[in-house]
Every structure is written in structure tokens, then in C-alpha cells.
């Protein structure tokens, strides 16, 4: 009898759980409460579970697969997923088109942007209108570098050397073409960038850095790194960071060289670009920075930002401060639980805010997310006004001129700015 009562009780619990699951499923799918007697509190709690933020996003949709990237291209929001591209209307989130693809990138900016979707190994790629999904042009290339103002395409015919070409984003017309060793085949796939085409491109091929002049397709030189010297191509300069071990310490030297002649243009002693890892002075990481700036630590432990053009200090901080993120316009500097946006045009502070949590710098806003408090704030870059301030545990997947794209799992939505950035 006791065993019978236990079995009966277990069945009752399972039946109750099943009813609750059905109610939850109905609420999630329809947004309506089939049992008004449950109470407003339960419905409100479910609403918070379903939404990405409070106040809610302008729209919320569920993707077919987990998003890995997002780009706002005019009236389209292009989601790159693990299995392809899923493009939605920026106004309401409805599906515009989807496509299976091994990789996805966006070339161009705003309404003139195009979506580049791969077609499989050695099968080329299509360049697609983001709104209509129509193919504008296609190519047999196996890799692309995409920018706001350019598209570079890599072709590697079987058994032959490779070639890198500049292509018109709109119609695929070829500008310049430069030959590369066959080892460049390992660079297949998408190499997306949110910035403009840099004056020089450094491609890792066969253990060396192949330098390409993106204005004319010239290939002025190849450079080689070593255990104690790290070579990077940044802002139209070849940057060489060298280390030497002296009395148990690493001694750092940074220099900028002209790509055409290899001539040294500037040299700095005692500036650590953060390229060293491990117990020794071996350099295994690329330097941090943007197209025309480098982040470094000076010999007196002060963080600095250097110009790649002439090596001068564009900004110098105090001990204990750190550069969180930087682009070619500004840097976000942290000191304790506060951040400051520093302008690189003169090194002055644009604004400062208390900001515990993680920080991201987008072209439109500085975004602070604090998982501990569940708060998300987007500050305008020019004056620091709060463009959006919500409760949210979602992650910020990307940004556009009108707001942020939030994501939690496969659920995505647009959090609109309350004012112009």
C-alpha cells in the first residue's frame, strides 16, 4: 500500500509539472494567459523571461540558429550564424531571406552594403543584396576581406599560385591584382572588418608577413618575425617590436618603418606593446590598437597610446589606469569602477562615467554591461548622454545608427536609442 501511495504521488507531481509546462508553452507562443486566475504576478514574471530588456526592445525575434555576428546594413540586419546567413528587416525584425553558407561577411556601408556568402570549400562566393536577397555578382574566389569601402578577393587555382584582387562592391569589377604564394590558400574564408580599407595589408603566408599596398596592388616587401621580434602592419607602417633580456628583465624597442624602402621612420625605447607572453621575452601576440594607433605601457608603468605615423604619444595615462578599448577616434580608459572617453585628436577627456562591468566601443556609442546588477547603458560618444538605459542580462551582439542588437541564445532584438548618437 505504501509503495502504491508513493507511485500515485509521483504521478500527481508529474501531472502537475506537465500542466505547468503546457501553460508556459502556450504563454510563450501566444503571449496570452489561458488561466487568468493564476494572477498578474506570474504573467509579469513570464514577460520578463521572454523579453531581452526592461523596457523592452522595439522588436524581438528568434533566429533559426545561434548568431555569431551581426551587421546593420541600411534597412537590413544581417545575422551571421553557425550555418549561414539570416537577414531581417531593421524595422520589425521579420525575415527578409536566409541562406545556408559556411561563412558570411558584409562589405560596404549603410544602404550601399552587400552581403558576401560563401558557397563551400573551393566553390566561390555570392555577393547578395541585403534587402531583396538577389545575387548581384559572384566569383570563384575562396576568401574575402571586407571593409566599409572595399572588398578584396583571394583566388587560388588548383596547382598554381594565388592572387589577391580588389573588387567593386557594387558589381564585382576588378581593380588591381597581385600575386601571392600558394601558401595563401590557408587564408580561405571571410576576414571581416568594420573599418575602411587600410593603406597596407599584412598577410601571414609561409611563415612571413607579405605586405600589400592596397592603393595599387603593389607588394613592396616581405617581413619575418622571430622569437624576439614581432612584425605587424598597422596604419601604413611596418611596426617592429623587439625584446632583449637584460639582468632578468625584458628590454623593449618599437620602431616604425616605411613599407616601400624598409627605412626606419621612428624608434621608441622602453615601450611594451603587450606582445610578450610566457616566462621569457618571446613575442607571441600581435600588438593591440587600431588602424593608426598602438596601445603600449611605458617604462614608468603608465599606459600610453602611440601614433603609428610618427611614434609620438597621443595620450598618456596615470599608473593604475588601463586602456580598455580603442579605435582611430577615441579610447576608453578605466580607473577603478569608472571609465573615461579620451579623444585621440588632442588627448583630452570627452567625458567620464561610473561604469562597473564590461565596456564595448561601437561607432555610435560606448556600451556598458554589468551582469552583477543586470544593467545596460549606452552612452553617446560626443557628449556622454545616455542613449539607452535598461535592465538586461542579454549580450550586445552589435550596433547600428539607431540602436543596439541584443541577443540571448537565438533570441535577438533591437534596442532603440532614445536620441541621435
Amino acid at each position: 500500500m505504501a509503495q502504491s501511495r508513493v507511485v500515485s504521488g509521483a504521478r500527481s507531481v508529474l501531472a502537475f509539472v506537465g500542466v505547468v509546462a503546457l501553460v508556459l508553452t502556450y504563454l510563450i507562443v501566444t503571449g496570452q494567459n489561458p488561466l487568468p486566475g493564476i494572477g498578474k504576478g506570474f504573467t509579469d514574471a513570464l514577460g520578463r523571461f521572454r523579453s531581452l530588456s526592461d523596457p523592452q526592445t522595439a522588436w524581438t525575434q528568434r533566429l533559426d540558429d545561434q548568431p555569431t555576428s551581426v551587421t546593420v546594413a541600411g534597412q537590413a540586419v544581417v545575422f551571421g550564424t553557425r550555418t549561414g546567413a539570416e537577414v531581417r528587416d531593421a524595422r520589425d525584425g521579420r525575415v527578409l531571406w536566409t541562406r545556408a553558407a559556411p561563412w558570411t561577411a558584409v562589405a560596404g556601408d549603410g544602404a550601399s552594403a552587400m552581403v558576401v556568402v560563401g558557397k563551400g570549400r573551393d566553390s566561390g562566393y555570392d555577393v547578395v543584396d541585403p534587402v531583396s536577397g538577389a545575387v548581384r555578382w559572384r566569383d570563384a574566389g575562396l576568401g574575402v576581406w571586407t571593409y566599409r569601402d572595399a572588398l578584396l578577393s583571394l583566388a587560388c587555382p588548383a596547382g598554381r599560385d594565388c592572387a589577391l584582387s580588389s573588387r567593386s562592391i557594387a558589381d564585382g569589377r576588378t581593380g588591381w591584382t597581385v600575386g601571392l604564394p600558394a601558401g595563401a590558400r590557408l587564408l580561405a574564408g571571410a576576414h571581416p572588418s568594420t573599418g575602411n580599407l587600410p593603406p597596407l595589408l599584412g598577410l601571414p603566408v609561409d611563415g612571413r608577413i607579405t605586405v600589400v599596398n592596397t592603393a595599387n596592388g603593389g607588394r613592396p616587401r616581405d617581413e619575418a618575425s622571430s622569437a624576439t621580434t614581432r612584425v605587424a602592419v598597422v596604419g601604413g607602417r611596418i611596426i617592429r617590436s623587439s625584446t632583449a633580456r637584460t639582468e632578468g628583465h625584458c628590454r623593449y624597442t618599437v620602431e616604425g618603418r616605411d613599407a616601400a624602402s624598409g627605412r626606419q621612420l621612428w624608434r621608441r625605447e622602453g615601450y611594451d606593446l603587450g606582445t610578450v607572453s610566457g616566462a621569457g621575452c618571446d613575442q607571441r601576440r600581435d600588438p593591440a590598437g587600431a588602424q593608426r594607433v598602438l596601445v603600449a605601457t611605458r617604462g614608468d608603468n603608465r599606459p600610453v597610446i602611440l601614433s603609428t605615423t610618427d611614434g609620438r604619444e597621443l595620450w598618456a595615462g596615470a599608473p593604475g589606469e588601463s586602456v580598455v578599448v580603442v579605435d582611430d577616434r577615441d579610447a576608453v580608459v578605466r580607473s577603478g569602477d569608472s571609465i573615461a572617453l579620451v579623444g585621440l585628436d588632442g588627448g583630452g577627456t570627452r567625458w567620464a562615467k561610473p561604469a562597473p562591468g564590461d565596456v564595448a566601443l561601437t561607432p555610435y556609442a560606448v556600451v556598458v554591461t554589468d551582469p552583477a546588477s543586470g544593467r545596460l547603458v549606452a552612452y553617446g560618444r560626443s557628449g556622454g548622454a545616455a542613449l539607452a538605459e535598461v535592465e538586461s542580462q542579454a549580450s550586445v551582439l552589435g550596433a547600428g545608427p539607431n540602436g543596439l542588437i541584443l541577443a540571448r541564445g537565438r533570441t535577438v532584438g533591437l534596442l532603440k536609442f532614445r536620441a541621435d548618437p
Side-chain angles (χ1 to χ4, degrees):
M1 291 293 292
Q3 183 178 5
S4 176
R5 286 195 296 270
V6 171
V7 172
S8 177
R11 288 175 176 171
S12 299
V13 171
L14 290 174
F16 175 76
V17 171
V19 171
V20 171
L22 288 173
V23 172
L24 284 171
T25 302
Y26 185 88
L27 282 164
I28 290 171
V29 173
T30 68
Q32 300 176 358
N33 187 354
L35 302 174
I38 289 178
K40 183 176 182 297
F42 181 77
T43 306
D44 289 346
L46 182 65
R48 289 191 295 272
F49 172 78
R50 294 179 65 219
S51 64
L52 291 168
S53 65
D54 184 17
Q56 293 189 17
T57 50
W59 50 260
T60 302
Q61 300 287 353
R62 187 166 176 82
L63 303 181
D64 290 338
D65 194 11
Q66 189 87 10
T68 57
S69 65
V70 66
T71 304
V72 179
Q75 289 298 321
V77 183
V78 182
F79 292 97
T81 71
R82 295 173 299 183
T83 56
E86 187 166 338
V87 183
R88 292 179 174 263
D89 194 305
R91 295 166 294 187
D92 55 17
R94 63 185 174 88
V95 175
L96 295 177
W97 55 273
T98 63
R99 183 164 175 174
W103 49 263
T104 303
V106 175
D109 186 40
S112 63
M114 293 288 175
V115 185
V116 187
V117 288
K119 296 195 295 185
R121 185 173 179 84
D122 298 335
S123 297
Y125 59 86
D126 288 346
V127 178
V128 182
D129 184 282
V131 176
S132 68
V135 176
R136 296 302 185 189
W137 56 278
R138 52 174 45 102
D139 187 75
L142 52 82
V144 295
W145 285 255
T146 56
Y147 302 91
R148 296 178 62 183
D149 58 350
L151 187 153
L152 305 182
S153 178
L154 177 69
C156 297
R160 297 165 55 187
D161 284 348
C162 300
L164 184 71
S165 302
S166 67
R167 307 294 296 271
S168 166
I169 298 174
D171 57 19
R173 284 181 295 107
T174 301
W176 50 259
T177 297
V178 60
L180 297 175
R185 174 178 290 273
L186 296 178
L187 301 177
H191 306 270
S193 170
T194 58
N196 292 330
L197 180 67
L200 295 176
L201 195 63
L203 302 176
V205 181
D206 295 338
R208 300 176 66 85
I209 302 297
T210 298
V211 182
V212 176
N213 185 325
T214 61
N216 55 24
R219 186 178 150 187
R221 65 196 319 101
D222 290 352
E223 294 279 343
S225 294
S226 68
T228 58
T229 299
R230 191 74 176 183
V231 177
V233 179
V234 187
R237 295 283 185 258
I238 296 174
I239 305 298
R240 295 178 65 90
S241 172
S242 301
T243 57
R245 194 164 185 82
T246 305
E247 297 179 352
H249 300 283
C250 298
R251 181 179 177 182
Y252 301 94
T253 302
V254 183
E255 57 183 276
R257 296 187 177 187
D258 177 70
S261 64
R263 180 172 58 91
Q264 183 187 106
L265 300 175
W266 57 266
R267 179 185 176 93
R268 287 278 191 175
E269 298 279 354
Y271 286 79
D272 177 10
L273 298 184
T275 53
V276 171
S277 64
C281 297
D282 290 358
Q283 302 197 68
R284 299 185 177 93
R285 296 190 295 253
D286 285 331
Q291 280 197 19
R292 66 180 186 89
V293 297
L294 296 167
V295 178
T297 302
R298 212 164 57 186
D300 56 3
N301 288 325
R302 293 176 181 266
V304 297
I305 297 175
L306 301 177
S307 165
T308 58
T309 303
D310 52 20
R312 62 191 170 91
E313 292 184 356
L314 299 176
W315 171 85
E321 292 183 324
S322 61
V323 178
V324 180
V325 62
V326 64
D327 63 14
D328 288 334
R329 293 161 49 197
D330 300 309
V332 177
V333 177
R334 178 172 290 285
S335 178
D337 283 340
S338 298
I339 61 168
L341 188 68
V342 176
L344 300 184
D345 47 1
T349 299
R350 301 194 191 279
W351 49 259
K353 302 283 184 182
D358 301 323
V359 181
L361 182 62
T362 79
Y364 314 99
V366 178
V367 183
V368 179
T369 54
D370 184 11
S373 65
R375 300 291 296 174
L376 184 156
V377 185
Y379 297 106
R381 292 183 60 150
S382 58
L387 304 178
E389 188 171 1
V390 297
E391 294 181 11
S392 178
Q393 292 291 347
S395 60
V396 178
L397 191 60
N402 299 319
L404 306 175
I405 303 298
L406 305 186
R408 186 177 59 227
R410 289 190 291 158
T411 302
V412 297
L414 172 65
L415 178 64
K416 284 191 173 182
F417 293 143
R418 62 179 66 155
D420 291 335

